[in-house]
Amino acid sequence: MKKVGMILEGGGQRGIFTSGVLDYFMEKKLTVPYVVGVSAGSCNAMDYVSGQILRTKECMLDAQLDNELYGFRTMMKTKYYMNMDLIFEEFPNHQYPFDFRAYVRSPMRCLLVTTNCLTGKAEYIEEYRDRERLMMACRASSSLPFGSPMVKLDGVPMLDGGIADSIPIRKAIADGFDYNIVVLTRRHGYYKQEERDATVELARLFYRRYPMLVRTLAQRSHAYNRTLDLLEQLEKKGLVFVIRPTVRCVSRTERDLEKLEDFYWHGYEEAERLYPQLQQWMEKREECVSRKRLLR
């Protein structure tokens, strides 16, 4: 469908739920013309657009059998919680090759959301010519505040896209996609708690050179909850089709491989369960688009 987009929320290791959903979609050969991913959702988006079934799961789960991806020992080596060089250089170029050619040839547009540390606003990156720049954009989109270094993209310091726009439904609508499949990584009814004063003070200290970033971090929970309210309204109107976990979610930094495996299969099984409803929803959306064309 020309008017259906797909929005992929982040959430660290919770993103393995999304990889299960997308692997099922790829098996069913379900594609949409527009995909926008945030943080871990960016990694999922790239593998979905390139058509690489299981790649995200391999990078998030299987890779932990042979690699130290994050944790105390990683901090001792890299000074940061996550080994970003391993994830965004070694994996795509060697251990788990990313098919850039297939990505470029795909008819799907793919946007990766980052946060501009100078302005505190979201940036939506598209790249189809420069493999290295694409990887840098995905790395920036996935660079958690406090836990990862800023990424210079086109000379601008960037961090995790979820800081400024965790669920970019407004961006999709502004780009002309009135109907959207939204894959969330939290259960229905979840809302973020407002940022604590201590967290805001830490941000002011840690990012004292970036006052607009600190401001966005302080407002992040409020903005996220407002977006959830908007999604609720859009879902009631039939403008979005939401897929979300229905069981207890793993943590953002989950290291238990069995729990991660189970959460992956939960995503796959939810996609399988909801697929008939999704097909009906898409057919209705196609009818709505056709009616609008006739009225014109």
Side-chain angles (χ1 to χ4, degrees):
M1 284 186 63
K2 293 181 179 180
K3 290 291 184 179
V4 171
M6 185 179 294
I7 297 165
L8 307 176
E9 185 184 19
Q13 293 294 80
R14 288 192 298 274
I16 202 164
F17 170 85
T18 304
S19 67
V21 171
L22 296 182
D23 281 350
Y24 180 80
F25 284 172
M26 284 188 274
E27 288 180 5
K28 302 299 288 187
K29 301 188 184 306
L30 171 68
T31 61
V32 293
Y34 177 95
V35 183
V36 53
V38 184
S39 195
S42 289
C43 301
N44 274 303
M46 287 172 56
D47 290 337
Y48 176 59
V49 171
S50 65
Q52 292 181 265
I53 297 175
L54 291 178
R55 183 178 180 275
T56 308
K57 175 179 179 288
E58 290 171 345
C59 291
M60 296 183 71
L61 174 60
D62 302 347
Q64 293 192 59
L65 296 172
D66 302 310
N67 302 276
E68 184 73 24
L69 301 185
Y70 47 83
F72 179 74
R73 283 187 290 181
T74 299
M75 290 183 68
M76 295 295 291
K77 293 179 181 178
T78 69
K79 298 182 181 180
Y80 289 95
Y81 185 75
M82 298 178 67
N83 191 332
M84 303 299 277
D85 290 341
L86 182 66
I87 297 169
F88 292 101
E89 292 182 19
E90 173 65 22
F91 285 2
N93 294 319
H94 301 288
Q95 291 191 39
Y96 305 99
F98 173 69
D99 193 341
F100 183 65
R101 181 174 296 182
Y103 178 86
V104 171
R105 289 179 175 176
S106 171
M108 292 187 274
R109 286 180 63 191
C110 185
L111 284 70
L112 310 181
V113 185
T114 67
T115 297
N116 184 318
C117 298
L118 300 178
T119 66
K121 295 182 179 180
E123 302 274 354
Y124 306 92
I125 311 297
E126 288 187 76
E127 181 55 63
Y128 308 104
R129 295 184 179 182
D130 188 330
R131 176 191 175 97
E132 185 176 345
R133 184 174 184 271
L134 176 66
M135 283 300 163
M136 290 298 287
C138 190
R139 179 171 179 157
S141 181
S142 307
S143 292
L144 299 175
F146 310 115
S148 305
M150 291 181 179
V151 176
K152 287 287 185 71
L153 188 65
D154 303 329
V156 178
M158 302 279 191
L159 275 176
D160 193 301
I163 299 171
D165 196 357
S166 296
I167 310 170
I169 180 66
R170 296 176 183 85
K171 172 62 176 173
I173 294 171
D175 282 349
F177 293 89
D178 303 320
Y179 310 111
N180 289 279
I181 301 166
V182 182
V183 184
L184 303 180
T185 58
R186 291 282 198 177
R187 288 188 289 182
H188 186 265
Y190 170 80
Y191 280 86
K192 284 185 181 294
Q193 294 183 348
E194 294 297 321
E195 298 294 347
R196 297 178 180 176
D197 292 341
T199 303
V200 177
E201 287 303 316
L202 176 62
R204 289 196 180 105
L205 177 64
F206 204 81
Y207 297 117
R208 57 187 177 276
R209 294 174 55 194
Y210 303 94
M212 300 309 293
L213 173 65
V214 173
R215 180 179 179 182
T216 302
L217 280 165
Q219 298 173 345
R220 181 183 184 185
S221 295
H222 179 68
Y224 181 85
N225 294 340
R226 282 181 55 203
T227 301
L228 287 179
D229 289 338
L230 174 61
L231 279 180
E232 194 83 23
Q233 297 170 20
L234 295 175
E235 191 173 15
K236 289 178 181 178
K237 295 178 180 178
L239 297 175
V240 299
F241 188 96
V242 181
I243 300 174
R244 51 167 66 90
T246 59
V247 301
R248 183 176 180 178
C249 301
V250 299
S251 72
R252 176 183 287 275
T253 57
E254 183 62 65
R255 304 190 69 175
D256 187 311
L257 300 185
E258 185 175 349
K259 289 182 179 179
L260 290 171
E261 181 83 25
D262 289 344
F263 205 49
Y264 166 83
W265 284 110
H266 178 55
Y268 184 96
E269 290 163 1
E270 277 300 288
E272 183 177 34
R273 180 180 71 84
L274 294 171
Y275 193 70
Q277 298 175 40
L278 175 60
Q279 286 182 304
Q280 293 177 4
W281 178 82
M282 293 182 75
E283 288 171 3
K284 289 180 180 179
R285 302 294 72 77
E286 185 68 45
E287 291 173 5
C288 290
V289 172
S290 298
R291 289 197 201 102
K292 288 180 180 178
R293 287 173 183 163
L294 289 173
L295 290 173
R296 288 176 187 171

